Amino acid sequence: MNRFSKGSLLAGTIMAGAMIATPAYAQDNEEGASEGNVITVTGSRIQQRNVETAAPVAVVAAEEFQLSGTVNVENVVNTLPQVIPGTTSFSNNPGNGTATLNLRGLGTTRTLVLVNGRRWVSFDTAQIVDLNTIPSFLLDSVDVVTGGASAVYGSDALAGVVNFNLKKVEGLEMGGQYSITEEGDGARYQLYGAIGTSFDDGRGNATVFAEYYNRSSVFQGDRPFSNFAIGAETFDDNLQQFGSSTLPNGVIRYFGDGDRTGTDFAANRAVVFDDTPGDFRTRTGDTYNYAPVNYLQIPQERYLLGGYADYEFTDGHTAYTEVTYVNNRVQQELAATPVTGTFNVDLATIQPFLNAAEFAQLQQLDNTETTGTADGVLSLFLQRRTVETGARNSLDERNAFRVLAGVKGGITDNLFYDVYYSYARTRNANVQAGNISRSAFQAGLDGTGTAINIFGPNTLTPAMVAAISIQAQNGDISTQEIASGAISGFLGELTSGAGDVGFAVGAEYRKVASQFIPDTALSSGDVIGFNAGQATEGGYDVKELFAELNVPVFDNGMQRLELSGAARYSDYSLDRVGGVWTYAGGVEFDVIPDIKLRGQYQRAVRAPNVGELFGGLAIGFPGATDPCSQTGAITDAGLNALCVANGVPAASVGSSAIQINAQIPALFGGNPNLGEETSDSWTVGAVLRPSFLPGLTLTADYFNITIEDAITTVGLQTQFDLCFGSSGARNLSDTACLPFVGVRNSAGIIDVNNPPRLGGQNVAEFAVAGVDIELNYSTDVGFSLFGTDGSRLNFNILATYTDESSFIPLVGSPQVDCAGLFAGQCGEPTPEWKWNSRLSWIDGPVTTSIRWRHLGSVTSEDSVLNGGSVDYASFNGIDQISSYDLFDLTFSVEASDNVTITAGINNLFDKLPGTPLFDANGIVTNRPNSLLLGDNQEQANTYPSTYDVLGRDFFISAAFKF
């Protein structure tokens, strides 16, 4: 780990605008590495003699990771203003145990992640990089390039590129860190070591490293704001304790035509079992609180090993290699399995488990039925939370490795080459515990298997649990092969004194392949608990030619003009993609030495990934509201007629019985006929370095990115709106309504055994626009407390104003602009203003640093405040999240030339979602702060990847360098 430099610590902790050169393995305290007197910068393959380009780049220096107490890369990257958090360590449900990067909120698949300027290993069929596989303790810097960069790097770089630069090590570096919350939980600790040396009179260098990291779990029940599931306001009700309709006591719903007169089924066709097993009553709104046993912070254990080396085997020619291996174990945990569905129940089989009066009611229904099953058998819709099996746990163990070998060197003093081959592979084993076998559950009710007692709480015996439980397993394998070669160099000056014209030309071959291997139970759909899925396997390759040109037009000492361009032709083995062009052009103009203007246009593409192309059908349970279950469907004649035509009994239209859970089943799968996505991006900006104020740099860059033919699986709620909405098709023969044809059972409920199918299509459009602003200032202070040479203040602020963050989910449908909004169709909060700033005082061996993280206020996408229909304020709901500020404090001491101790407090003022107070009926009686949300939440009653959920958090680290 880098030792803090007394004179320059944090002078460029986060820098945008003026390009900081960050080549592979940058040396300590250098801003670039070189072939002689040239450098390589992110965003270009051209060897350059200056450190600025037309594309704005934000650079996060290694010190930011140290001062923020960050061990996992995600914790710094996700706080950058350009980033909307993807999946994180707080993503339990939804989540997949990874940490992903979502630049500009355009999606993780549209952000290209590099390490040392080259593609890194992906983890699944979507070909996304898990940031957990990148060693943070070896980071020299992280470069964030906005806008499409396909002309330079190929597919996937629609939103931009994030490049993680690793450093060389000279000598021995080792250290560790320990973090814990103020509540005494969520402990995280890391141990690492790296040793590097030069050999053969400096012709070679080798570095090997190892790391162990462990993160403990925190449950939602460990924090008062997340101990109860809170919601209900989108059902026009009070903000209150909410939960699942599937209870540990068991629920029976009867939709047959038997005579319900005089039975507990008469009121609403539903009964619930009391605490006395075998005794049921009419159901009146009972719910199950599933929240406390869900993870708030998911546990993780990681082993990371690797090394890299280079050797100048002859003058000017160097062979190099990189090897990395990561073993990463991450878990998710959910409440016990909710078994729901229609089952045939043999009355004789279940009679021993029911009281005589309740059994007589079932007999009455059976005796009076005119249609349905045979005598002695009832078709019942059952709901039972199988708490006797324990929580559902999903363990992912990912083993990833990457090897790379290459040769680079100089052909002449002005001509260089670089050729390499890399192979990366990830193997994920997923083991699921707590699942229930649907077929075994059915057999336990119809007399063909071990009889099961689900008619009351804690009625399943160990033998019954064993009979219906099933352990499921998934496997994922993803591979990536790359062969790349480039020649770069200089062609001489266009005009005297302007600088050499630079160029790069080359070719690249990439092959990607992935497969998802579920076990038989999962692929058959027999598993209840975690989502089922079908096997996925596929791959493709691409052959590419690329070229870049950098032309300094003139430089008279006061003014300077430089032009740049790039182009790439890619030939994909995919029929729908085939051959595609990407290209870019940029300009830089120094008006005077204090002012630089710059701009760039880029055309980029993204080919569909293996999962989007070849994914097998998988069932999911997205949160959505069935329009036919809303009271408005009774009076809306067009909607009423459509619901009836769709299979809802006329008497049930507008009844909550049509939707018994907040989640609705849907099928998702691949589409081999997908084409490429395309994007056009513009950046225009200025860099100010006023000579009258030394140490100040101010940059401002406007960005505009538009993506067309975007691949999207239209969300279930969006599909509902497109078909059933007031401006929807409202015609079952229309394309928008076809997914809903034939999916309802006789009661009008969307059937889990025949759900709507929603697949990927090239039908969406995305657009983002805004301004990135950065200010950096460093100045000497005329006194010192701990040193002898005075001290220094460094200040920086990196801010983004998002003017537009819009999407059209289906061409022809209304545009939704999520700038300043959250929830609904927008999901994760997208504030108009977001910034990070840090103020550091470096005084001799002591550094004191304060970080300020700010998110602007956001409004619910479907609230009255935003022109929507939901009036949250009328029933104590939350429709706006106030502006959000976190402050972090860090102290670092160079105890000696070899030892640095760092300690800090994150979330200094312990800002958390508010604590709800409940009355006897579970209704929230106070209005907690706006971070605690009802139905407008992602998980844990808030957005835990955006807003802090751990509270005040302490860390201490020690770094040794010899």
Side-chain angles (χ1 to χ4, degrees):
M1 186 175 287
N2 285 339
R3 182 168 60 85
F4 294 125
S5 171
K6 300 176 185 179
S8 61
L9 176 66
L10 290 178
T13 295
I14 306 176
M15 300 191 70
M19 180 78 158
I20 301 300
T22 47
Y25 316 138
Q27 301 287 334
D28 289 351
N29 300 321
E30 286 185 348
E31 292 185 344
S34 64
E35 300 289 347
N37 61 340
V38 296
I39 57 175
T40 303
V41 297
T42 300
S44 175
R45 295 176 184 269
I46 298 176
Q47 301 281 352
Q48 301 187 34
R49 292 193 170 108
N50 70 78
V51 298
E52 296 182 351
T53 68
V57 179
V59 179
V60 184
E63 287 84 1
E64 181 63 23
F65 290 83
Q66 298 160 354
L67 290 176
S68 61
T70 295
V71 173
N72 273 3
V73 170
E74 61 172 292
N75 297 332
V76 163
V77 174
N78 279 331
T79 66
L80 293 176
Q82 302 96 327
V83 174
I84 300 296
T87 56
T88 70
S89 54
F90 305 106
S91 300
N92 183 60
N93 183 31
N96 55 16
T98 65
T100 61
L101 205 161
N102 183 5
L103 193 58
R104 303 292 183 195
L106 291 172
T108 54
T109 58
R110 301 181 181 98
T111 301
L112 181 61
V113 175
L114 309 175
V115 174
N116 296 328
R118 305 180 185 95
R119 290 175 181 256
W120 196 240
V121 57
S122 60
F123 74 88
D124 70 349
T125 58
Q127 297 159 220
I128 300 171
V129 170
D130 180 2
L131 300 182
N132 287 316
T133 60
I134 299 174
S136 63
F137 65 94
L138 284 173
L139 285 177
D140 184 74
S141 64
V142 180
D143 304 341
V144 181
V145 181
T146 292
S150 292
V152 177
Y153 296 112
S155 180
D156 304 334
L158 298 188
V161 173
V162 180
N163 183 26
F164 296 85
N165 297 291
L166 305 184
K167 63 181 180 180
K168 284 182 178 179
V169 174
E170 288 287 349
L172 173 64
E173 296 187 15
M174 57 189 298
Q177 179 170 300
Y178 181 76
S179 304
I180 194 166
T181 72
E182 187 175 65
E183 300 295 325
D185 58 14
R188 288 135 285 155
Y189 59 89
Q190 174 205 36
L191 297 172
Y192 68 87
I195 186 169
T197 185
S198 298
F199 55 90
D200 195 9
D201 295 326
R203 297 177 69 90
N205 182 278
T207 297
V208 295
F209 58 86
E211 181 214 42
Y212 174 76
Y213 174 67
N214 188 292
R215 181 178 65 215
S216 300
S217 64
V218 177
F219 285 93
Q220 290 186 27
D222 295 329
R223 296 293 185 274
F225 68 83
S226 56
N227 185 49
F228 280 96
I230 297 173
E233 71 270 24
T234 53
F235 294 93
D236 295 331
D237 207 340
N238 288 306
L239 191 66
Q240 60 186 276
Q241 291 178 4
F242 203 44
S244 170
S245 63
T246 304
L247 309 175
N249 292 42
V251 177
I252 297 177
R253 293 177 182 268
Y254 176 70
F255 296 109
D257 59 1
D259 184 4
R260 306 192 310 275
T261 305
T263 71
D264 290 308
F265 292 92
N268 57 15
R269 299 179 182 265
V271 299
V272 61
F273 285 85
D274 283 328
D275 290 340
T276 301
D279 184 12
F280 60 66
R281 57 171 171 80
T282 299
R283 182 174 185 178
T284 55
D286 308 78
T287 60
Y288 167 73
N289 180 28
Y290 53 80
V293 293
N294 279 249
Y295 284 141
L296 186 63
Q297 174 177 274
I298 62 176
Q300 178 187 8
E301 186 176 33
R302 178 178 67 213
Y303 295 88
L304 194 152
L305 302 169
Y308 35 84
D310 57 70
Y311 181 69
E312 188 178 8
F313 58 89
T314 188
D315 288 346
H317 301 276
T318 301
Y320 58 92
T321 184
E322 304 173 12
V323 179
T324 302
Y325 168 76
V326 184
N327 174 269
N328 194 41
R329 294 167 58 90
V330 186
Q331 297 183 59
Q332 298 166 265
E333 189 148 299
L334 312 177
T337 294
V339 178
T340 63
T342 301
F343 295 88
N344 291 327
V345 179
D346 178 68
L347 297 184
T349 298
I350 67 172
Q351 182 176 8
F353 308 133
L354 297 175
N355 293 336
E358 276 64 25
F359 183 71
Q361 293 186 47
L362 296 180
Q363 283 185 310
Q364 175 185 328
L365 298 178
D366 180 51
N367 293 334
T368 56
E369 274 194 329
T370 58
T371 60
T373 58
D375 288 344
V377 177
L378 278 177
S379 179
L380 300 174
F381 188 90
L382 302 178
Q383 295 175 265
R384 176 58 151 80
R385 180 79 57 170
T386 57
V387 294
E388 297 90 338
T389 65
R392 286 169 288 168
N393 186 278
S394 176
L395 170 63
D396 286 281
E397 181 171 3
R398 294 187 174 94
N399 290 280
F401 74 88
R402 176 178 178 267
V403 294
L404 179 147
V407 181
K408 62 182 179 179
I411 301 173
T412 68
D413 290 342
N414 289 314
L415 198 61
F416 313 98
Y417 71 93
D418 190 347
V419 180
Y420 73 89
Y421 170 82
S422 70
Y423 177 82
R425 183 179 187 270
T426 299
R427 175 71 166 91
N428 178 45
N430 171 256
V431 180
Q432 302 171 0
N435 286 326
I436 301 297
S437 164
R438 185 175 294 276
S439 59
F441 196 89
Q442 173 64 80
L445 297 171
D446 63 17
T448 62
T450 300
I452 57 174
N453 182 3
I454 60 170
F455 310 106
N458 299 308
T459 53
L460 290 170
T461 66
M464 295 176 184
V465 168
I468 62 174
S469 295
I470 184 171
Q471 187 177 76
Q473 298 185 52
N474 294 317
D476 290 270
I477 299 175
S478 298
T479 60
Q480 175 182 264
E481 291 182 77
I482 301 173
S484 179
I487 295 175
S488 62
F490 302 100
L491 300 176
E493 294 184 332
L494 186 65
T495 60
S496 177
D500 287 334
V501 174
F503 78 96
V505 295
E508 185 166 298
Y509 172 80
R510 291 196 312 277
K511 182 178 181 180
V512 295
S514 294
Q515 54 183 315
F516 167 66
I517 313 166
D519 65 13
T520 303
L522 277 169
S523 59
S524 70
D526 188 49
V527 170
I528 308 174
F530 288 96
N531 295 341
Q534 297 294 317
T536 300
E537 183 173 7
Y540 60 85
D541 60 37
V542 55
K543 305 175 184 69
E544 300 178 306
L545 298 174
F546 57 85
E548 291 183 68
L549 190 64
N550 189 68
V551 182
V553 179
F554 68 83
D555 186 346
N556 60 18
M558 290 293 293
Q559 295 175 314
R560 181 174 180 273
L561 177 65
E562 186 169 304
L563 304 177
S564 61
R568 177 181 291 249
Y569 178 75
S570 305
D571 183 16
Y572 288 86
S573 61
L574 300 169
D575 292 338
R576 273 289 305 275
V577 179
V580 294
W581 282 96
T582 55
Y583 41 86
V587 57
E588 297 175 76
F589 178 50
D590 290 352
V591 182
I592 58 175
D594 294 11
I595 302 175
K596 176 189 291 291
L597 302 179
R598 62 189 178 190
Q600 188 176 56
Y601 164 77
Q602 300 195 64
R603 178 64 177 256
V605 301
R606 182 181 79 87
N609 59 52
V610 171
E612 291 167 331
L613 289 164
F614 309 115
L617 286 177
I619 191 168
F621 293 86
T625 300
D626 187 337
C628 297
S629 70
Q630 302 299 289
T631 55
I634 299 174
T635 56
D636 185 331
L639 177 57
N640 192 308
L642 180 63
C643 292
V644 172
N646 192 220
V648 179
S652 298
V653 174
S655 168
S656 60
I658 300 303
Q659 182 178 350
I660 59 176
N661 275 315
Q663 295 173 303
I664 297 176
L667 283 175
F668 303 89
N671 178 1
N673 296 314
L674 290 172
E676 75 277 9
E677 300 179 339
T678 60
S679 78
D680 294 284
S681 61
W682 298 85
T683 58
V684 180
V687 182
L688 307 179
R689 299 187 188 90
S691 56
F692 60 84
L693 190 56
L696 175 67
T697 300
L698 176 64
T699 69
D701 290 279
Y702 170 78
F703 61 87
N704 186 302
I705 305 172
T706 302
I707 300 175
E708 296 180 336
D709 298 322
I711 299 168
T712 184
T713 297
V714 177
L716 182 57
Q717 188 63 63
T718 300
Q719 197 74 52
F720 269 134
D721 295 341
L722 293 173
C723 176
F724 293 87
S726 57
S727 59
R730 293 198 171 182
N731 183 341
L732 288 180
S733 62
D734 190 277
T735 301
C737 295
L738 292 180
F740 300 109
V741 175
V743 301
R744 299 183 185 270
N745 63 19
S746 60
I749 299 173
I750 291 181
D751 194 342
V752 70
N753 297 311
N754 186 31
R757 177 172 180 174
L758 305 173
Q761 305 172 60
N762 290 99
V763 294
E765 294 182 7
F766 295 90
V768 293
V771 179
D772 289 330
I773 302 170
E774 178 163 15
L775 183 150
N776 287 280
Y777 182 64
S778 181
T779 185
D780 290 326
V781 179
F783 67 92
S784 174
L785 298 179
F786 304 103
T788 58
D789 300 325
S791 58
R792 191 167 186 82
L793 278 178
N794 292 323
F795 174 74
N796 69 69
I797 181 168
L798 178 61
T800 294
Y801 172 73
T802 301
D803 179 60
E804 179 183 5
S805 180
S806 65
F807 68 95
I808 299 174
L810 189 64
V811 175
S813 64
Q815 178 178 335
V816 180
D817 189 354
C818 294
L821 303 182
F822 77 103
Q825 298 180 77
C826 294
E828 204 77 29
T830 306
E832 290 184 342
W833 278 104
K834 181 179 180 182
W835 68 68
N836 276 358
S837 66
R838 186 177 286 281
L839 176 64
S840 297
W841 177 32
I842 302 98
D843 182 12
V846 178
T847 295
T848 304
S849 186
I850 298 175
R851 180 172 62 162
W852 174 20
R853 296 177 273 164
H854 172 82
L855 298 174
S857 62
V858 287
T859 304
S860 176
E861 184 266 337
D862 59 351
S863 72
V864 170
L865 286 178
N866 191 49
S869 59
V870 184
D871 184 7
Y872 294 96
S874 66
F875 33 80
N876 201 33
I878 303 295
D879 55 6
Q880 188 172 35
I881 303 176
S882 302
S883 60
Y884 177 77
D885 298 277
L886 289 182
F887 295 89
D888 311 318
L889 177 64
T890 303
F891 299 97
S892 181
V893 179
E894 292 184 6
S896 70
D897 289 340
N898 306 111
V899 181
T900 299
I901 306 296
T902 305
I905 306 172
N906 289 325
N907 194 352
L908 183 63
F909 299 110
D910 199 29
K911 189 166 187 175
L912 285 168
T915 300
L917 302 176
F918 305 101
D919 66 14
N921 297 316
I923 295 175
V924 177
T925 58
N926 64 331
R927 187 180 176 94
N929 69 30
S930 61
L931 296 177
L932 186 136
L933 307 168
D935 295 328
N936 275 1
Q937 52 91 34
E938 181 189 40
Q939 50 189 300
N941 297 321
T942 189
Y943 286 86
S945 294
T946 297
Y947 303 107
D948 186 83
V949 292
L950 293 182
R952 190 176 290 118
D953 196 35
F954 303 88
F955 72 89
I956 185 168
S957 66
F960 304 89
K961 187 173 182 179
F962 304 98

